[in-house]
């Protein structure tokens, strides 16, 4: 029927596992590069945005970008 030997492969992997260069690269990528890239992206965006108390017309950036229109035009 379905399956059969799948469980035996998982249960016996510790007896046949070897750190080959290919396996080592995969482990370093998934256990090192991916978490570091995720941390970098999260920390890069952390202080960029400020959502608290913003209205529809206000910028969500913590430090609002300089306006391209002069201040006199905004008052009218």
């Amino acid at each position: 029927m379905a399956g059969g030997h799948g469980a035996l492969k998982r249960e016996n992997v510790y007896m046949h596992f070897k750190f080959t260069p290919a396996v080592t690269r995969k482990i370093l990528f998934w256990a090192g590069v991916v978490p570091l890239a995720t941390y970098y992206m999260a920390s890069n965006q952390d202080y960029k945005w400020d959502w608290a108390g913003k209205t529809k017309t206000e910028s969500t950036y913590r430090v609002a970008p300089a306006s391209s229109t002069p201040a006199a035009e905004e008052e009218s």
Side-chain angles (χ1 to χ4, degrees):
M1 295 217 126
H5 302 290
L8 293 176
K9 290 180 183 179
R10 286 191 308 261
E11 291 173 359
N12 295 328
V13 73
Y14 71 93
M15 292 189 286
H16 304 289
F17 180 79
K18 294 180 183 173
F19 273 108
T20 62
V23 171
T24 304
R25 281 192 297 273
K26 289 177 187 177
I27 290 172
L28 289 176
F29 178 75
W30 289 110
V33 174
V34 171
L36 286 174
T38 304
Y39 172 76
Y40 172 75
M41 288 187 296
S43 64
N44 184 22
Q45 297 293 318
D46 188 30
Y47 291 109
K48 188 174 183 178
W49 307 102
D50 183 21
W51 295 92
K54 297 294 182 177
T55 62
K56 187 176 184 179
T57 58
E58 293 177 323
S59 174
T60 55
Y61 283 114
R62 269 192 205 274
V63 179
S67 178
S68 61
T69 60
E73 289 181 15
E74 291 178 6
E75 292 176 4
S76 5

Coordinates of all heavy atoms in Angstrom, one line a residue:
M1 N 0.8 -1.2 0.0 CA 0.0 0.0 0.0 C 0.9 1.3 0.0 O 2.0 1.2 -0.4 CB -0.9 0.0 1.2 CG -1.9 -1.2 1.2 SD -3.3 -0.5 1.8 CE -4.7 -0.7 0.9
A2 N 0.3 2.3 0.5 CA 1.1 3.6 0.5 C 2.2 3.6 1.5 O 2.1 3.1 2.6 CB 0.1 4.8 0.8
G3 N 3.3 4.2 1.1 CA 4.4 4.4 2.0 C 5.3 3.2 2.0 O 6.0 2.9 1.1
G4 N 5.3 2.5 3.2 CA 6.1 1.3 3.2 C 7.5 1.6 3.9 O 7.6 1.4 5.1
H5 N 8.4 2.0 3.1 CA 9.8 2.1 3.6 C 10.2 3.5 3.9 O 11.3 3.8 4.3 CB 10.8 1.5 2.5 CG 10.5 0.1 2.2 ND1 10.7 -0.9 3.1 CD2 10.0 -0.5 1.1 CE1 10.4 -2.1 2.6 NE2 9.9 -1.8 1.3
G6 N 9.3 4.5 3.8 CA 9.6 5.9 4.1 C 10.1 6.1 5.5 O 11.0 6.8 5.8
A7 N 9.4 5.5 6.5 CA 9.7 5.6 7.9 C 11.1 5.0 8.2 O 11.8 5.5 9.0 CB 8.6 5.0 8.7
L8 N 11.4 3.9 7.5 CA 12.7 3.3 7.8 C 13.9 4.2 7.3 O 14.9 4.2 8.0 CB 12.8 1.9 7.1 CG 11.8 0.9 7.6 CD1 11.9 -0.4 6.8 CD2 12.1 0.6 9.1
K9 N 13.7 4.9 6.3 CA 14.7 5.8 5.8 C 15.0 6.9 6.8 O 16.1 7.3 7.1 CB 14.4 6.4 4.4 CG 14.4 5.4 3.3 CD 14.0 6.0 2.0 CE 14.0 5.0 0.9 NZ 13.6 5.6 -0.4
R10 N 13.9 7.5 7.4 CA 14.1 8.5 8.4 C 14.7 8.0 9.7 O 15.5 8.7 10.3 CB 12.7 9.2 8.6 CG 12.3 10.1 7.5 CD 11.1 10.9 8.0 NE 10.0 10.1 8.6 CZ 8.9 9.7 8.0 NH1 8.7 10.0 6.7 NH2 8.0 9.0 8.6
E11 N 14.3 6.9 10.1 CA 14.8 6.3 11.3 C 16.2 5.9 11.3 O 16.9 5.8 12.3 CB 13.9 5.1 11.8 CG 12.5 5.6 12.2 CD 11.6 4.4 12.4 OE1 12.0 3.2 12.3 OE2 10.4 4.7 12.7
N12 N 16.7 5.6 10.1 CA 18.1 5.1 10.0 C 19.1 6.1 9.4 O 20.2 5.8 9.1 CB 18.1 3.8 9.1 CG 17.4 2.7 9.8 OD1 17.3 2.6 11.0 ND2 16.7 1.8 8.9
V13 N 18.6 7.3 9.2 CA 19.5 8.3 8.6 C 20.7 8.6 9.4 O 21.8 8.9 8.9 CB 18.7 9.6 8.2 CG1 18.4 10.4 9.5 CG2 19.4 10.4 7.2
Y14 N 20.6 8.6 10.7 CA 21.8 8.9 11.5 C 22.9 7.9 11.4 O 24.1 8.2 11.6 CB 21.4 9.0 13.0 CG 21.0 7.6 13.6 CD1 22.0 6.9 14.3 CD2 19.8 7.1 13.5 CE1 21.7 5.7 14.9 CE2 19.5 5.9 14.1 CZ 20.4 5.2 14.8 OH 20.2 4.0 15.3
M15 N 22.6 6.7 10.9 CA 23.6 5.7 10.7 C 24.4 5.9 9.4 O 25.5 5.4 9.3 CB 23.0 4.3 10.7 CG 22.5 3.9 12.1 SD 22.0 2.2 12.2 CE 20.5 2.2 11.2
H16 N 23.8 6.6 8.5 CA 24.4 6.7 7.1 C 24.7 8.2 6.7 O 25.2 8.4 5.6 CB 23.4 6.1 6.1 CG 23.1 4.7 6.4 ND1 24.0 3.7 6.2 CD2 21.9 4.2 6.8 CE1 23.4 2.5 6.6 NE2 22.1 2.8 6.9
F17 N 24.4 9.1 7.6 CA 24.7 10.5 7.3 C 26.2 10.9 7.3 O 26.9 10.4 8.2 CB 23.9 11.4 8.3 CG 24.1 12.9 8.0 CD1 23.4 13.5 7.0 CD2 25.0 13.6 8.7 CE1 23.6 14.8 6.7 CE2 25.2 14.9 8.5 CZ 24.5 15.6 7.5
K18 N 26.6 11.6 6.3 CA 28.0 12.1 6.3 C 28.0 13.6 5.9 O 27.2 14.0 5.1 CB 28.8 11.3 5.2 CG 29.0 9.9 5.6 CD 29.8 9.2 4.5 CE 29.8 7.7 4.9 NZ 30.5 6.9 3.8
F19 N 28.9 14.3 6.5 CA 29.1 15.7 6.2 C 29.9 15.8 4.9 O 31.2 16.0 5.0 CB 29.7 16.5 7.3 CG 28.8 17.0 8.3 CD1 28.7 16.5 9.6 CD2 27.9 18.1 8.0 CE1 27.8 16.9 10.5 CE2 27.0 18.5 8.9 CZ 26.9 18.0 10.2
T20 N 29.3 15.8 3.8 CA 30.0 16.0 2.5 C 30.0 17.5 2.2 O 29.3 18.3 2.9 CB 29.3 15.3 1.4 OG1 28.0 15.8 1.3 CG2 29.2 13.8 1.7
P21 N 30.9 18.0 1.3 CA 30.9 19.4 1.0 C 29.5 19.9 0.5 O 29.1 21.0 0.9 CB 31.9 19.5 -0.1 CG 32.8 18.4 0.1 CD 32.0 17.3 0.7
A22 N 28.7 19.1 -0.2 CA 27.4 19.6 -0.7 C 26.5 19.7 0.5 O 25.7 20.7 0.6 CB 26.9 18.6 -1.7
V23 N 26.5 18.8 1.4 CA 25.6 18.8 2.6 C 26.0 20.0 3.5 O 25.1 20.7 4.0 CB 25.6 17.5 3.4 CG1 24.9 17.6 4.7 CG2 25.0 16.4 2.5
T24 N 27.3 20.2 3.7 CA 27.8 21.3 4.5 C 27.3 22.7 3.9 O 26.9 23.5 4.7 CB 29.3 21.3 4.6 OG1 29.7 20.0 5.1 CG2 29.8 22.3 5.5
R25 N 27.4 22.8 2.6 CA 26.9 24.1 2.0 C 25.4 24.3 2.2 O 25.0 25.4 2.6 CB 27.2 24.1 0.5 CG 28.6 24.4 0.1 CD 28.8 24.7 -1.3 NE 28.5 23.5 -2.2 CZ 29.4 22.6 -2.5 NH1 30.6 22.6 -2.0 NH2 29.0 21.5 -3.2
K26 N 24.6 23.2 2.1 CA 23.2 23.4 2.3 C 22.9 23.7 3.8 O 22.0 24.6 4.1 CB 22.5 22.1 2.0 CG 22.4 21.8 0.5 CD 21.8 20.4 0.2 CE 21.9 20.1 -1.2 NZ 21.3 18.8 -1.5
I27 N 23.6 23.1 4.7 CA 23.4 23.4 6.1 C 23.8 24.8 6.4 O 23.0 25.5 7.1 CB 24.1 22.4 7.0 CG1 23.5 21.0 6.9 CG2 24.2 22.8 8.4 CD1 24.3 19.9 7.6
L28 N 24.9 25.3 6.0 CA 25.3 26.6 6.2 C 24.4 27.6 5.6 O 24.1 28.7 6.2 CB 26.7 26.9 5.7 CG 27.8 26.2 6.5 CD1 29.2 26.4 5.8 CD2 27.9 26.7 7.9
F29 N 23.8 27.3 4.4 CA 22.9 28.2 3.8 C 21.6 28.3 4.6 O 21.2 29.4 4.9 CB 22.6 27.8 2.4 CG 21.6 28.6 1.7 CD1 22.0 29.9 1.2 CD2 20.3 28.2 1.5 CE1 21.0 30.7 0.5 CE2 19.4 29.0 0.8 CZ 19.7 30.2 0.3
W30 N 21.0 27.2 4.9 CA 19.7 27.3 5.6 C 19.8 27.6 7.1 O 18.9 28.2 7.6 CB 19.0 25.9 5.4 CG 18.5 25.7 4.0 CD1 19.0 24.9 3.1 CD2 17.5 26.5 3.3 NE1 18.3 25.0 1.9 CE2 17.4 26.0 2.0 CE3 16.6 27.5 3.7 CZ2 16.5 26.5 1.1 CZ3 15.7 28.0 2.8 CH2 15.6 27.5 1.5
A31 N 20.9 27.3 7.7 CA 21.0 27.6 9.1 C 21.8 28.9 9.4 O 21.8 29.4 10.5 CB 21.8 26.5 9.8
G32 N 22.4 29.5 8.4 CA 23.2 30.7 8.6 C 22.7 31.9 7.7 O 22.4 32.9 8.2
V33 N 22.8 31.7 6.4 CA 22.5 32.8 5.5 C 21.0 33.2 5.5 O 20.8 34.4 5.6 CB 22.9 32.4 4.0 CG1 22.5 33.4 3.0 CG2 24.4 32.1 4.0
V34 N 20.1 32.3 5.5 CA 18.7 32.6 5.5 C 18.3 33.4 6.8 O 17.7 34.4 6.7 CB 17.8 31.4 5.3 CG1 16.3 31.7 5.5 CG2 18.1 30.8 3.9
P35 N 18.7 32.9 8.0 CA 18.3 33.7 9.2 C 19.0 35.1 9.2 O 18.4 36.0 9.7 CB 18.8 32.8 10.4 CG 18.8 31.4 9.8 CD 19.2 31.6 8.4
L36 N 20.3 35.1 8.8 CA 20.9 36.4 8.8 C 20.3 37.4 7.8 O 20.2 38.6 8.1 CB 22.4 36.2 8.4 CG 23.3 35.7 9.6 CD1 24.7 35.4 9.1 CD2 23.3 36.6 10.8
A37 N 19.9 36.9 6.6 CA 19.2 37.8 5.7 C 17.9 38.2 6.2 O 17.5 39.4 6.0 CB 19.0 37.0 4.4
T38 N 17.1 37.3 6.9 CA 15.9 37.7 7.5 C 16.1 38.8 8.6 O 15.3 39.8 8.6 CB 15.2 36.5 8.1 OG1 15.0 35.5 7.0 CG2 13.8 36.8 8.6
Y39 N 17.1 38.6 9.4 CA 17.4 39.6 10.5 C 17.8 40.9 9.8 O 17.3 42.0 10.3 CB 18.5 39.0 11.3 CG 19.0 40.1 12.3 CD1 18.2 40.4 13.4 CD2 20.1 40.8 12.1 CE1 18.6 41.4 14.3 CE2 20.6 41.8 13.0 CZ 19.8 42.0 14.1 OH 20.2 43.0 15.0
Y40 N 18.6 40.9 8.8 CA 19.0 42.1 8.2 C 17.8 42.9 7.6 O 17.7 44.1 7.8 CB 20.0 41.9 7.1 CG 20.3 43.1 6.3 CD1 21.1 44.1 6.8 CD2 19.8 43.3 5.0 CE1 21.4 45.3 6.1 CE2 20.0 44.4 4.3 CZ 20.9 45.4 4.8 OH 21.1 46.5 4.1
M41 N 16.9 42.2 6.9 CA 15.7 42.8 6.3 C 14.8 43.4 7.4 O 14.3 44.5 7.3 CB 15.0 41.9 5.4 CG 15.7 41.6 4.2 SD 14.7 40.6 3.0 CE 14.5 39.1 3.9
A42 N 14.6 42.7 8.5 CA 13.8 43.1 9.6 C 14.4 44.3 10.3 O 13.7 45.3 10.6 CB 13.5 42.0 10.6
S43 N 15.7 44.3 10.6 CA 16.3 45.4 11.3 C 16.4 46.6 10.4 O 16.4 47.8 10.9 CB 17.7 45.0 11.8 OG 18.6 44.7 10.8
N44 N 16.6 46.4 9.1 CA 16.7 47.5 8.2 C 15.3 48.3 8.1 O 15.3 49.5 8.0 CB 17.0 47.0 6.8 CG 17.2 48.1 5.8 OD1 17.5 49.2 6.1 ND2 17.1 47.8 4.5
Q45 N 14.2 47.6 8.2 CA 12.9 48.2 8.1 C 12.4 48.7 9.4 O 11.4 49.4 9.5 CB 11.9 47.2 7.4 CG 12.3 46.8 6.0 CD 12.2 48.0 5.1 OE1 11.2 48.8 5.1 NE2 13.1 48.1 4.2
D46 N 13.0 48.2 10.5 CA 12.4 48.5 11.8 C 12.2 50.0 12.1 O 11.2 50.4 12.6 CB 13.3 47.8 12.9 CG 12.7 47.9 14.3 OD1 11.4 47.9 14.4 OD2 13.4 47.9 15.3
Y47 N 13.3 50.8 12.0 CA 13.2 52.2 12.3 C 12.8 53.1 11.1 O 12.9 54.3 11.2 CB 14.5 52.6 13.0 CG 14.7 52.0 14.3 CD1 15.6 51.1 14.5 CD2 13.9 52.4 15.4 CE1 15.8 50.5 15.8 CE2 14.0 51.8 16.6 CZ 14.9 50.9 16.8 OH 15.1 50.3 18.1
K48 N 12.5 52.5 10.0 CA 12.1 53.2 8.8 C 10.7 53.7 8.9 O 10.4 54.8 8.3 CB 12.4 52.4 7.6 CG 12.3 53.1 6.3 CD 12.6 52.2 5.1 CE 12.6 52.9 3.8 NZ 13.0 52.0 2.7
W49 N 9.8 52.9 9.5 CA 8.4 53.2 9.5 C 7.9 53.6 10.9 O 8.3 53.1 11.9 CB 7.6 52.0 9.0 CG 8.1 51.5 7.6 CD1 8.9 50.5 7.4 CD2 7.9 52.1 6.4 NE1 9.2 50.3 6.1 CE2 8.6 51.3 5.4 CE3 7.2 53.3 5.9 CZ2 8.6 51.6 4.1 CZ3 7.2 53.5 4.6 CH2 7.9 52.7 3.7
D50 N 6.9 54.5 10.9 CA 6.2 54.8 12.2 C 4.7 54.9 11.9 O 4.2 55.9 11.3 CB 6.7 56.2 12.7 CG 6.1 56.5 14.0 OD1 5.6 55.6 14.7 OD2 6.1 57.7 14.3
W51 N 4.0 53.9 12.3 CA 2.6 53.8 12.0 C 1.7 54.5 13.0 O 0.5 54.7 12.8 CB 2.1 52.4 11.8 CG 2.8 51.7 10.7 CD1 4.0 51.0 10.7 CD2 2.3 51.7 9.3 NE1 4.3 50.6 9.4 CE2 3.3 51.0 8.6 CE3 1.2 52.2 8.7 CZ2 3.1 50.8 7.2 CZ3 1.1 52.0 7.3 CH2 2.0 51.3 6.6
A52 N 2.2 54.7 14.2 CA 1.4 55.2 15.3 C 0.9 56.6 15.1 O 1.7 57.5 14.9 CB 2.2 55.1 16.6
G53 N -0.4 56.8 15.2 CA -1.0 58.1 15.1 C -0.9 58.8 13.8 O -1.0 60.0 13.7
K54 N -0.7 58.1 12.7 CA -0.6 58.7 11.4 C -2.0 58.9 10.8 O -2.8 58.0 10.8 CB 0.3 57.9 10.5 CG 1.7 57.8 10.9 CD 2.4 59.2 11.0 CE 3.8 59.0 11.4 NZ 4.5 60.3 11.3
T55 N -2.2 60.0 10.1 CA -3.5 60.2 9.4 C -3.2 59.9 7.9 O -2.1 59.6 7.5 CB -4.0 61.7 9.5 OG1 -3.0 62.5 9.0 CG2 -4.2 62.0 11.0
K56 N -4.2 60.0 7.1 CA -4.1 59.6 5.7 C -3.2 60.5 5.0 O -2.5 60.1 4.0 CB -5.5 59.7 5.1 CG -5.6 59.2 3.7 CD -7.1 59.2 3.2 CE -7.2 58.6 1.9 NZ -8.6 58.6 1.4
T57 N -3.1 61.8 5.4 CA -2.3 62.7 4.6 C -0.8 62.7 5.1 O 0.0 63.4 4.5 CB -2.8 64.1 4.8 OG1 -2.9 64.5 6.2 CG2 -4.2 64.2 4.1
E58 N -0.5 62.1 6.3 CA 0.8 62.1 6.8 C 1.7 61.0 6.3 O 1.1 59.9 6.0 CB 0.8 62.1 8.3 CG 0.2 63.3 9.0 CD 0.1 63.1 10.5 OE1 -0.2 62.0 10.9 OE2 0.3 64.1 11.1
S59 N 3.0 61.2 6.2 CA 3.9 60.1 5.7 C 4.1 59.1 6.8 O 4.1 59.5 8.0 CB 5.2 60.7 5.3 OG 6.1 59.7 5.0
T60 N 4.2 57.8 6.5 CA 4.4 56.8 7.5 C 5.9 56.6 7.7 O 6.3 55.8 8.6 CB 3.8 55.5 7.0 OG1 4.3 55.1 5.7 CG2 2.3 55.5 7.0
Y61 N 6.8 57.3 7.0 CA 8.2 57.3 7.3 C 8.5 58.0 8.6 O 7.8 58.9 9.0 CB 9.0 58.1 6.2 CG 9.2 57.3 4.9 CD1 8.6 57.8 3.8 CD2 10.0 56.2 4.9 CE1 8.8 57.1 2.6 CE2 10.2 55.5 3.7 CZ 9.6 56.0 2.5 OH 9.8 55.4 1.4
R62 N 9.4 57.5 9.4 CA 9.8 58.1 10.7 C 10.3 59.5 10.4 O 10.0 60.5 11.0 CB 10.9 57.3 11.4 CG 10.3 56.4 12.3 CD 11.3 55.8 13.3 NE 10.9 54.5 13.7 CZ 10.1 54.4 14.8 NH1 9.7 55.4 15.4 NH2 9.7 53.2 15.1
V63 N 11.2 59.6 9.4 CA 11.7 60.9 9.0 C 11.1 61.2 7.6 O 11.5 60.5 6.6 CB 13.3 60.9 8.9 CG1 13.8 62.2 8.4 CG2 13.9 60.5 10.2
A64 N 10.2 62.1 7.5 CA 9.5 62.3 6.3 C 10.4 62.9 5.2 O 11.3 63.7 5.5 CB 8.4 63.3 6.5
P65 N 10.3 62.4 4.0 CA 11.2 62.9 2.9 C 10.8 64.4 2.6 O 9.7 64.8 2.8 CB 10.8 62.0 1.7 CG 9.5 61.4 2.0 CD 9.4 61.4 3.5
A66 N 11.8 65.1 2.1 CA 11.6 66.5 1.8 C 10.6 66.6 0.7 O 10.5 65.9 -0.3 CB 13.0 67.1 1.3
S67 N 9.7 67.6 0.9 CA 8.7 67.8 -0.1 C 9.2 68.5 -1.4 O 10.1 69.3 -1.3 CB 7.6 68.7 0.5 OG 6.6 69.0 -0.4
S68 N 8.7 68.1 -2.5 CA 9.2 68.7 -3.8 C 8.5 70.0 -4.1 O 8.9 70.7 -4.9 CB 8.9 67.7 -4.9 OG 7.6 67.4 -5.0
T69 N 7.4 70.3 -3.4 CA 6.7 71.6 -3.6 C 7.1 72.6 -2.6 O 7.3 72.2 -1.4 CB 5.2 71.4 -3.6 OG1 4.8 70.9 -2.3 CG2 4.7 70.4 -4.6
P70 N 7.2 73.9 -2.9 CA 7.5 74.9 -1.9 C 6.5 75.0 -0.9 O 5.3 74.7 -1.1 CB 7.6 76.2 -2.8 CG 7.7 75.7 -4.2 CD 7.1 74.4 -4.3
A71 N 6.8 75.5 0.3 CA 5.9 75.7 1.4 C 4.8 76.6 1.1 O 3.7 76.5 1.7 CB 6.7 76.1 2.7
A72 N 5.0 77.6 0.3 CA 4.0 78.6 0.0 C 2.8 78.0 -0.7 O 1.7 78.4 -0.5 CB 4.6 79.8 -0.8
E73 N 3.1 77.0 -1.6 CA 2.0 76.4 -2.3 C 1.1 75.5 -1.4 O 0.0 75.3 -1.6 CB 2.6 75.5 -3.4 CG 3.1 76.4 -4.6 CD 3.7 75.4 -5.7 OE1 3.3 74.3 -5.7 OE2 4.4 76.0 -6.5
E74 N 1.7 75.0 -0.4 CA 1.0 74.1 0.6 C 0.0 74.9 1.4 O -1.0 74.4 1.8 CB 2.0 73.3 1.5 CG 2.8 72.3 0.7 CD 3.8 71.6 1.6 OE1 3.7 71.9 2.8 OE2 4.6 70.8 1.1
E75 N 0.3 76.1 1.7 CA -0.6 76.9 2.5 C -1.8 77.4 1.8 O -2.9 77.6 2.4 CB 0.2 78.2 3.1 CG 1.3 77.8 4.0 CD 2.1 79.0 4.5 OE1 1.8 80.1 4.0 OE2 3.1 78.8 5.2
S76 N -1.8 77.5 0.5 CA -3.0 78.0 -0.2 C -4.0 77.0 -0.5 O -4.0 75.9 -0.4 CB -2.6 78.6 -1.6 OG -1.3 78.5 -2.0

